Amino acid sequence: MRFSKESIFLFCILLVVSILTACSSTNEEGNSEAVQTEEKVKQTRSYKDYIGHEVEIPVSPEKVIYHGENYGDLLPLQVEPIGASYSWIKNFIFEDKVSNVEEVGFPINTEKVLELQPDLIIIATTDEKTYEQLSKIAPTIVFDTFAPLEARLIELGDILDKKQEAADWLNEYDKKEENMWKQLVQDGTIKSGETASVLTYYPGNRLFVMASTGLSQVLYDPDGFKPGEKIQQILDAKMGFEEISLETLPEFAGDRIFILTPETDEAIQSTKDMLDSSIWKGLPAVKNENVYTLEIQKSSSDASTRDWLLEEIPSLLKK
């Protein structure tokens, strides 16, 4: 079949018009999405924080300063603040995953915060003077960084417009945690009903047993270790830990003992003294070689560390 010059010319014109129309439509869609995103960033909503402040916060904050414990909660939500305190980042298991985050000091440096021009500030301190200073720079909320993991992550998901990310991560974590404990029982690494204790020293020769803080939050699980009567009392009192004496240690010691190795020289020496004591050497867990050590900063309560511990705990128990 042969086409006339007029037909070819008309076809070319129609083709060009079609392409231009498609491009125009694509640009309009792209521009529309950009406008919607921009409008969402500018939108605000009322939020009541941990201690009762009513604050107008961005619906979808982009420039966040996070100042408090459990920085590792932000990584599963795919959130990277513009500012934070390195006190809760340096030497933690997620340190190498943090970049482009400005140091805002501890205590928080208001001049640095002002320089960063955040659209939302999240702090752990309940000090009203600090709150008032920061709230003059940007919307500021006080966040309970010591709440249980699930409560923290759901709340952060709400604050940071990451609800789905929080729900997905928690669902996956629960499955992994359940599988870990079931596997450890099935392969004979642990026995159902065994008890465990988590100990650490602080400067001043102060010995603490952990209850609902850090590593113990993972260990005390329906499918995992039990806390024992004395530690259960601490849990019932809703305390994260309790100071005990070396003399009363046998009352708190479980079938398995986890020692969180401290950072300061004084606390390290106190730990050595405990390990050399006759009280320590007489504990059943010590005699059965069921003692495990873990750096204290690798036993944090944050989501990233908790996820890491699901692999580390089996490794410790099988050494």
Side-chain angles (χ1 to χ4, degrees), residues 102-131:
E102 294 282 345
E103 166 71 275
V104 296
F106 182 79
I108 193 166
N109 185 323
T110 53
E111 291 183 2
K112 183 63 178 180
V113 172
L114 181 60
E115 176 189 321
L116 292 175
Q117 298 185 327
D119 59 14
L120 179 65
I121 303 170
I122 301 174
I123 57 174
T125 180
T126 56
D127 179 63
E128 277 298 314
K129 184 178 179 180
T130 301
Y131 177 84

Side-chain angles (χ1 to χ4, degrees), residues 198-201 210 215 258-262 292 294-296 299:
V198 182
L199 308 170
T200 193
Y201 264 100
M210 301 295 135
L215 176 63
F258 294 79
I259 300 175
L260 306 181
T261 55
Y292 318 93
L294 185 70
E295 293 175 37
I296 194 166
S299 67

Side-chain angles (χ1 to χ4, degrees), residues 16-30:
V16 171
V17 170
S18 298
I19 293 172
L20 291 175
T21 301
C23 290
S24 175
S25 176
T26 301
N27 289 335
E28 286 177 4
E29 289 177 5

Side-chain angles (χ1 to χ4, degrees), residues 167-204:
D168 290 345
W169 188 90
L170 285 167
N171 183 54
E172 185 63 26
Y173 175 83
D174 288 344
K175 290 178 182 177
K176 289 167 66 175
E177 185 177 39
E178 182 180 1
N179 290 336
M180 178 195 74
W181 289 120
K182 286 183 176 179
Q183 184 60 44
L184 286 172
V185 172
Q186 287 175 3
D187 65 19
T189 301
I190 66 173
K191 297 176 182 178
S192 180
E194 281 191 276
T195 59
S197 307
V198 182
L199 308 170
T200 193
Y201 264 100
Y202 275 72

Side-chain angles (χ1 to χ4, degrees), residues 161-304:
D161 194 25
K162 296 285 185 178
K163 290 182 180 179
Q164 191 59 54
E165 288 85 344
D168 290 345
W169 188 90
L170 285 167
N171 183 54
E172 185 63 26
Y173 175 83
D174 288 344
K175 290 178 182 177
K176 289 167 66 175
E177 185 177 39
E178 182 180 1
N179 290 336
M180 178 195 74
W181 289 120
K182 286 183 176 179
Q183 184 60 44
L184 286 172
V185 172
Q186 287 175 3
D187 65 19
T189 301
I190 66 173
K191 297 176 182 178
S192 180
E194 281 191 276
T195 59
S197 307
V198 182
L199 308 170
T200 193
Y201 264 100
Y202 275 72
N205 196 34
R206 303 175 67 195
L207 176 61
F208 288 85
V209 60
M210 301 295 135
S212 61
T213 304
L215 176 63
S216 58
Q217 291 180 335
V218 185
L219 296 180
Y220 301 146
D221 183 273
D223 297 315
F225 293 117
K226 309 306 174 188
E229 183 180 349
K230 280 287 190 177
I231 297 177
Q232 184 61 55
Q233 291 174 8
I234 304 173
L235 289 167
D236 292 342
K238 299 189 183 305
M239 297 171 60
F241 48 84
E242 184 173 297
E243 184 174 0
I244 65 173
S245 66
L246 180 60
E247 289 69 28
T248 60
L249 177 56
E251 300 175 29
F252 294 87
D255 299 316
R256 311 269 181 157
I257 297 177
F258 294 79
I259 300 175
L260 306 181
T261 55
E263 294 184 288
T264 66
D265 292 339
E266 184 182 1
I268 290 172
Q269 184 58 52
S270 295
T271 303
K272 289 180 180 178
D273 293 341
M274 177 184 71
L275 300 182
D276 288 335
S277 70
S278 57
I279 293 175
W280 173 260
K281 293 177 180 178
L283 296 175
V286 177
K287 292 180 178 179
N288 294 327
E289 298 184 346
N290 288 331
V291 177
Y292 318 93
T293 60
L294 185 70
E295 293 175 37
I296 194 166
Q297 285 180 305
K298 292 182 177 179
S299 67
S300 173
S301 301
D302 68 272
S304 298

